[in-house]
Amino acid sequence: TQNEKKLFTPGPLGVSYSVRQAALRDLGSRDIVFMETVKYLRSRLVDIAGVSEDNFTAVPVQGSGTFAVEAVFQTAVPRQNGKVLILENGAYGKRMGKICEVLNIPYHLESFSEDSKVDPGRVEELLRGDNSFTLVAIVQCETSSGVFNPVEKVGSIVKKIIPDCVYFVDAMSSFGAVPLDMEGGQVDYMVSSANKCLQGIPGFSYAVARKSHLQKCKGNSRSLSLDLYDQYDGLEKTGQFRFTPPTHTMLAFCQAIKEFDEEGGVVGRANRYKKNRNILRKGMLEMGFQEFLSPEHEGYIITSYKFPEHPNFEFKEFYSRLIDKGQVIYPGKVLNADCFRIGNIGHLFPEDMKHLLTCIKDVCTEMMIDLPLSA
């Protein structure tokens, strides 16, 4: 795979050659082998989530991660008297607000600053002031900045104050590499996608849902294709998807899970990502690049860097010169600062991070930006 670019982005992510190879099989959606594959994947996702199939089920949804996020709002919020509290500190929390708006779901968007975590004390205050919320939603790793939110702590507060309230965690870019105690954090719905830390190819997302709640959600969904209850019901009864499944993507995902296990599961994957992150942090610091987040943030999925205040720095040029060297970084997503982002998840290893740093150094030389940058 000579002419391939390395993706240091939050998705699509680079995946191994063996994962791609696993997709090179045509299977029918009713094929016994495929139905067994779906059953296996659903079971393994519950397993990776660290919960029991007695209480939880995994429901795959065709489409990107946002499809699963929307499917949870569609399904878990009743058509009458539903009210959502969204705790947001970045673009992905804001997107949840947009989903509720389009669906005409009553919601309150509580915003926290993009460079800080959601504050559990403020959540407690909010819920004590208004106990009419039926669902609280939060993002575990806010990929616009890289902040990790205290989701377990928030979950305990939600259930202490409104025991019947549904707790929903978007673990899109964290599931599989950042521990999440679903039982301890009293999480009812968790969503992620095939092409994040589990390193499959894009094409489907999934919800790990508490069965006792999901089974009460029949008829809630305002959408046919995003009805999580109906999708679950169909898979349970027939072992089949209601509409054409992403067969190739699911075969690749089986291989991805095999490689995930071989690497040592959540712990093994987290270790590699942390190594990647440490190399990046050290190298960028030596060049004088400043992180958007202050050092007490422990995130290791993606890092936001402030644009250097050098007269020759121009992001578009910086970005395209890196692309010419086969390195794909990502524009910023925070609103209150000019930033770019570098991810270290997916099929990336310490040597890839070192090579990226060399390329960044070379690009700065080409653009006549003296290093180290002055603060």
Side-chain angles (χ1 to χ4, degrees), residues 189-256:
Y189 291 86
M190 184 285 305
V191 294
S192 189
S193 147
N195 183 233
K196 292 289 192 236
C197 297
L198 293 179
Q199 297 180 190
I201 59 180
F204 74 97
S205 46
Y206 45 87
V208 175
R210 194 180 292 277
K211 289 203 279 202
S212 58
H213 188 268
L214 182 62
Q215 285 159 351
K216 292 190 288 205
C217 292
K218 186 177 182 173
N220 282 353
S221 182
R222 298 107 181 121
S223 151
L224 175 66
S225 54
L226 293 177
D227 186 338
L228 211 53
Y229 170 80
D230 210 33
Q231 185 89 320
Y232 161 73
D233 193 48
L235 283 164
E236 289 294 306
K237 285 177 178 160
T238 67
Q240 294 168 20
F241 279 75
R242 298 171 300 154
F243 315 115
T244 305
T247 50
H248 301 84
T249 302
M250 296 191 102
L251 289 170
F253 197 59
C254 271
Q255 176 62 23

Side-chain angles (χ1 to χ4, degrees), residues 115-351:
D115 58 359
S116 65
K117 298 170 188 255
V118 167
D119 170 20
R122 175 70 187 124
V123 177
E124 182 151 3
E125 214 174 281
L126 271 165
L127 297 177
R128 291 205 185 280
D130 180 355
N131 67 357
S132 67
F133 292 106
T134 61
L135 182 145
V136 174
I138 189 171
V139 177
Q140 185 179 20
C141 170
E142 180 45 83
T143 324
S144 48
S145 62
V147 173
F148 281 6
N149 284 317
V151 291
E152 285 103 343
K153 200 178 270 182
V154 169
S156 309
I157 290 165
V158 169
K159 298 290 184 173
K160 182 178 74 181
I161 301 171
I162 316 176
D164 290 343
C165 187
V166 172
Y167 187 44
F168 170 29
V169 174
D170 170 344
M172 201 58 62
S173 61
S174 50
F175 182 67
V178 181
L180 169 60
D181 180 358
M182 281 187 73
E183 287 288 20
Q186 304 192 56
V187 179
D188 299 304
Y189 291 86
M190 184 285 305
V191 294
S192 189
S193 147
N195 183 233
K196 292 289 192 236
C197 297
L198 293 179
Q199 297 180 190
I201 59 180
F204 74 97
S205 46
Y206 45 87
V208 175
R210 194 180 292 277
K211 289 203 279 202
S212 58
H213 188 268
L214 182 62
Q215 285 159 351
K216 292 190 288 205
C217 292
K218 186 177 182 173
N220 282 353
S221 182
R222 298 107 181 121
S223 151
L224 175 66
S225 54
L226 293 177
D227 186 338
L228 211 53
Y229 170 80
D230 210 33
Q231 185 89 320
Y232 161 73
D233 193 48
L235 283 164
E236 289 294 306
K237 285 177 178 160
T238 67
Q240 294 168 20
F241 279 75
R242 298 171 300 154
F243 315 115
T244 305
T247 50
H248 301 84
T249 302
M250 296 191 102
L251 289 170
F253 197 59
C254 271
Q255 176 62 23
I257 285 184
K258 188 170 172 250
E259 293 174 18
F260 171 78
D261 291 338
E262 284 163 3
E263 192 169 7
V266 176
V267 174
R269 194 133 292 177
N271 285 343
R272 172 162 56 86
Y273 291 169
K274 283 175 183 172
K275 268 185 201 139
N276 289 350
R277 159 81 175 114
N278 290 340
I279 289 166
L280 180 71
R281 170 174 263 174
K282 191 169 167 285
M284 291 296 274
L285 190 65
E286 280 167 10
M287 285 187 263
F289 283 93
Q290 281 189 311
E291 290 186 20
F292 172 68
L293 296 178
S294 54
E296 75 271 9
H297 287 276
E298 73 283 8
Y300 49 87
I301 298 294
I302 195 164
T303 312
S304 285
Y305 285 98
K306 294 177 185 172
F307 285 4
E309 285 177 16
H310 192 284
N312 294 347
F313 182 83
E314 205 273 317
F315 178 69
K316 271 193 175 140
E317 189 186 345
F318 182 70
Y319 177 79
S320 39
R321 282 178 182 269
L322 279 171
I323 286 203
D324 292 342
K325 296 181 191 301
Q327 314 293 299
V328 183
I329 63 167
Y330 224 57
K333 202 126 184 175
V334 296
L335 295 176
N336 61 354
D338 284 329
C339 288
F340 61 86
R341 295 179 290 164
I342 299 178
N344 44 249
I345 63 175
H347 195 63
L348 292 172
F349 297 86
E351 53 270 29

